[in-house]
């Protein structure tokens, strides 16, 4: 064996001073040369920890080896055996906590850039033009209803369509993709890529019914009567607020509303698109996760002079991916750590003008293992702001449980489902993704979709042919 290469190839990205003025993708992706160099670092371990770290069990050494050999067509085929959304996962998965975490190279140097290689293959495939049409499987005569077209719903739909099921996906919004479409901004996940991956799922024979609110347009009960099985992947789209004075003022948003107006409603394309988003000059974002980073970076691109992350803990506790925090910092987002908003103050016309905050300090660790933030008495101060965006979390919308008798709901409004199978308390109804776990990740939603698809197939067919799932 030659010398081990511990240094990861960097991915080219737009310069921060340029990208902060546009919505184009920040990271530009590996060239074929960089991808081959990076993949050649793989040690081809006998027991690859990376595969265990992948919630959908992709044969990572298999596709990485093919990239190193320059056989990209075979590489993407291996990827797609386990993942219908590789261009999405290659961009937004927290690989550093999953497949890359257990890469042996990471013990002494940089772990293999598995996510970047996944992205490279998916983008390479897209450049080759539309993929060859797949031979549709023989229909098995059974029909499945899927509620929600996010990563969980799309994975169930693709897996079951490949096994010959007739699948219909019901989506409340006018575009498919869930958070991938309405939440994650264009500069991190271009919508053309999401559309391409949705089209791939449709190409497997899946029918998409948009503008269809299950629980209003038709209930889960009715779908359960009409179909052989129902999968609920309705996500966690109900935003939390701080519950402080002034949250009804104009200029006060939830991250959900702000990002939906910008992404799904194309606020960033005004005046080419006729649904604008009001430009604010000083924006405060409450929270420290990926959603908060996305909101602050969006605000800057929409023309804000200042975007602040107002976070009650310290930098070490920020839950956002390190790469996204770094991107936000480079772009000029200001971090106000150990700061708690306690009151929103408006002018005579009910527009937000100031935010009253209190300083915090860190005490003993709490249930989450992080040090608990404690208020410093008498430390109030004000930030002058004309917009605030609350990004402190979401829970599932109560519509489906309210309209589906017999569906057990947990304390946070989440549907209760068996972790291994996705079975709910209601016969014939499975669930998975954020609607069960609360706000989590794309790949965990896809993993839940995969397990539910396997369980649905085992239940309806007696378990034939689930090995590939
Ligand atoms: P969703 O993606 O929420 O999809 C649910 C779908 O169901 C939606 O389209 C919704 O409209 C539809 N629906 C809801 N109710 C109904 C109904 N009654 N009838 C019909 N349709 C319905 N994860 C990562 O891994 N990496 C990231 O970088 C990342 N960044 C994020 C950034 C933002 C701004 C947000 C909000 C989330 C981010 N996440 C990220 C989390 C990730 O996107 C979610 O965990 C994932 O999308 C959950 O998938 P899902 O299929 O369960 O639900």
């Amino acid at each position: 064996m030659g010398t081990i290469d511990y240094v990861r190839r960097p991915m080219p990205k737009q310069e921060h001073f340029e990208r902060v003025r546009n919505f184009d993708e920040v990271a530009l992706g590996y060239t074929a040369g960089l991808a081959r160099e990076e993949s050649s670092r793989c040690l081809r371990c006998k027991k690859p920890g990376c595969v265990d770290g992948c919630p959908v069990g992709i044969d990572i050494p298999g596709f990485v080896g093919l990239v190193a050999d320059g056989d990209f067509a075979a590489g993407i085929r291996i990827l797609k055996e386990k993942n219908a959304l590789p261009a999405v996962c290659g961009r937004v998965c927290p690989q550093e906590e999953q497949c890359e975490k257990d890469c042996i190279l990471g013990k002494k140097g940089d772990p293999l850039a598995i996510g970047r290689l996944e992205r490279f293959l998916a983008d390479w495939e897209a450049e080759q033009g539309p993929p060859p049409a797949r031979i549709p499987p023989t229909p098995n005569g059974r029909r499945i209803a899927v509620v929600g077209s996010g990563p969980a719903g799309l994975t169930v739909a693709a897996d079951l369509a490949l096994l010959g099921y007739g699948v219909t996906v019901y989506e409340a919004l006018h575009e498919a993709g869930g958070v991938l479409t309405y939440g994650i901004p264009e500069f991190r996940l271009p919508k053309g890529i999401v559309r391409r991956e949705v089209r791939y799922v449709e190409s497997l024979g899946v029918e998409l019914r948009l503008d269809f609110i299950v629980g209003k347009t038709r209930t889960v009960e009715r779908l359960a009567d009409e179909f052989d099985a129902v999968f609920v992947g309705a996500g966690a789209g109900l935003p939390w607020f701080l519950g402080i004075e002034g949250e009804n003022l104009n200029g006060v948003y939830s991250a959900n509303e702000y990002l939906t107006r910008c992404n799904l409603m194309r606020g960033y394309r005004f005046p080419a698109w006729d649904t604008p988003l009001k430009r604010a000059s000083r924006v405060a974002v409450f929270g420290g996760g990926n959603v908060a980073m996305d909101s602050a970076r969006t605000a800057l691109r929409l023309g804000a002079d200042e975007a602040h992350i107002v976070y009650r803990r310290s930098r070490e506790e920020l839950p956002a991916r390190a790469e996204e925090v770094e991107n936000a910092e480079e772009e000029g987002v200001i971090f106000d750590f150990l700061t708690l908003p306690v009151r929103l103050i408006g002018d005579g016309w009910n527009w937000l003008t100031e935010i009253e905050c209190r300083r915090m300090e860190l005490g003993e660790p709490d249930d989450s293992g992080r040090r608990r933030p404690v208020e410093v008495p008498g430390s109030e101060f004000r930030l002058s702001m004309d917009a605030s965006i609350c990004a402190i979390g979401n829970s599932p919308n109560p519509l489906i449980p309210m309209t589906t008798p017999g569906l057990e709901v947990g304390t946070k409004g989440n549907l209760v489902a068996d972790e291994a199978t996705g079975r709910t308390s209601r016969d014939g109804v499975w669930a998975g993704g954020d609607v069960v776990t609360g706000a989590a990740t794309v790949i965990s939603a896809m993993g839940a979709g995969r397990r539910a698809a396997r369980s649905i197939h085992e239940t309806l067919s007696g378990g034939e042919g689930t090995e590939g799932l």
Side-chain angles (χ1 to χ4, degrees):
M1 188 190 261
T3 44
I4 297 177
D5 181 351
Y6 286 111
V7 183
R8 170 183 285 220
R9 302 298 177 269
M11 178 146 73
K13 58 183 186 181
Q14 276 196 75
E15 291 292 349
H16 61 88
F17 50 85
E18 261 171 32
R19 69 185 193 235
V20 76
R21 287 196 297 264
N22 67 53
F23 274 83
D24 298 341
E25 195 170 12
V26 168
L28 302 173
Y30 277 157
T31 58
L34 279 172
R36 291 190 67 177
E37 270 180 39
E38 178 63 22
S39 55
S40 305
R41 299 204 301 122
C42 177
L43 297 179
R44 319 240 171 151
C45 307
K46 279 217 175 75
K47 283 194 186 151
C50 53
V51 180
D52 295 338
C54 172
V56 293
I58 294 173
D59 173 9
I60 294 167
F63 89 75
V64 169
L66 287 161
V67 176
D69 296 344
D71 190 352
F72 305 144
I76 186 73
R77 270 201 301 280
I78 291 204
L79 249 181
K80 282 192 151 178
E81 276 169 14
K82 291 287 170 75
N83 187 347
L85 311 173
V88 170
C89 291
R91 285 171 164 81
V92 303
C93 266
Q95 292 101 4
E96 65 279 8
E97 288 161 28
Q98 296 175 336
C99 52
E100 294 176 10
K101 192 171 164 206
D102 293 322
C103 173
I104 209 89
L105 286 169
K107 301 243 184 283
K108 286 199 180 163
D110 301 329
L112 190 72
I114 299 167
R116 293 175 183 178
L117 294 171
E118 179 179 26
R119 170 192 164 141
F120 165 76
L121 276 182
D123 291 355
W124 174 86
E125 187 195 39
E127 280 165 19
Q128 311 309 303
R134 291 181 76 119
I135 301 164
T138 317
N140 64 18
R142 297 188 187 263
R143 296 170 63 232
I144 313 295
V146 172
V147 183
S149 66
L154 291 175
T155 302
V156 173
D159 282 0
L160 291 176
L162 284 169
L163 290 168
Y165 290 86
V167 184
T168 307
V169 177
Y170 294 96
E171 168 54 53
L173 299 174
H174 61 272
E175 271 187 51
V179 170
L180 309 179
T181 295
Y182 78 77
I184 304 181
E186 178 78 15
F187 55 83
R188 234 166 29 90
L189 180 61
K191 300 309 140 206
I193 287 168
V194 182
R195 279 196 290 276
R196 191 175 77 223
E197 305 222 321
V198 169
R199 272 202 302 276
Y200 166 72
V201 176
E202 282 185 288
S203 78
L204 304 174
V206 171
E207 185 194 356
L208 267 181
R209 298 279 308 270
L210 302 175
D211 295 315
F212 196 112
I213 304 178
V214 174
K216 278 201 187 292
T217 322
R218 202 170 298 169
T219 58
V220 169
E221 286 291 281
R222 256 201 62 200
L223 294 178
D225 287 342
E226 288 170 24
F227 289 82
D228 294 290
V230 180
F231 173 81
V232 180
L238 189 73
W240 297 345
F241 286 91
L242 288 162
I244 58 176
E245 189 185 325
E247 283 189 302
N248 285 329
L249 290 169
N250 299 315
V252 176
Y253 301 87
S254 68
N256 197 301
E257 177 189 348
Y258 190 76
L259 293 171
T260 302
R261 281 174 180 271
C262 186
N263 299 324
L264 185 73
M265 309 298 289
R266 308 285 193 278
Y268 72 97
R269 297 201 50 202
F270 181 76
W273 222 265
D274 59 6
T275 37
L277 184 52
K278 189 174 185 305
R279 303 285 198 261
S281 102
R282 291 173 55 85
V283 180
V285 180
F286 308 144
N290 287 325
V291 182
M293 300 304 141
D294 283 346
S295 303
R297 297 172 69 196
T298 296
L300 286 179
R301 283 163 172 78
L302 286 173
D305 300 313
E306 275 184 26
H308 292 235
I309 293 281
V310 177
Y311 183 54
R312 65 192 180 128
R313 300 180 196 251
S314 74
R315 183 186 187 87
E316 284 68 52
E317 288 82 27
L318 276 176
R321 293 183 66 190
E323 187 180 334
E324 299 310 331
V325 175
E326 194 186 296
N327 280 332
E329 272 178 329
E330 278 176 12
E331 289 166 15
V333 171
I334 298 164
F335 287 79
D336 299 324
F337 292 117
L338 294 169
T339 303
L340 179 74
V342 291
R343 184 161 70 106
L344 306 180
I345 301 157
D347 63 12
W349 300 94
N350 281 337
W351 283 95
L352 177 74
T353 53
E354 282 183 310
I355 300 174
E356 188 170 296
C357 300
R358 207 166 280 157
R359 298 264 179 235
M360 309 292 281
E361 58 192 9
L362 293 179
E364 293 303 308
D366 61 16
D367 296 344
S368 70
R370 298 177 298 175
R371 290 177 66 193
R372 185 192 300 277
V374 184
E375 295 179 24
V376 177
S379 62
E380 283 76 8
F381 65 100
R382 289 185 179 190
L383 292 169
S384 153
M385 296 283 163
D386 56 352
S388 75
I389 303 170
C390 191
I392 57 166
N394 288 310
S395 45
N397 190 303
L399 179 64
I400 290 182
M402 271 166 46
T403 53
T404 316
L407 206 52
E408 194 186 337
V409 180
T411 44
K412 291 190 173 157
N414 54 304
L415 297 190
V416 174
D418 181 79
E419 205 188 326
T421 62
R423 276 181 181 279
T424 67
S425 54
R426 166 73 171 75
D427 237 17
V429 179
W430 279 256
D434 281 7
V435 74
V436 171
T437 55
T441 61
V442 171
I443 196 75
S444 61
M446 292 177 67
R450 163 121 328 134
R451 293 191 294 278
R454 186 187 290 133
S455 167
I456 291 171
H457 181 57
E458 278 171 358
T459 306
L460 298 184
S461 73
E464 287 162 33
T466 50
E467 307 78 29
L469 287 184

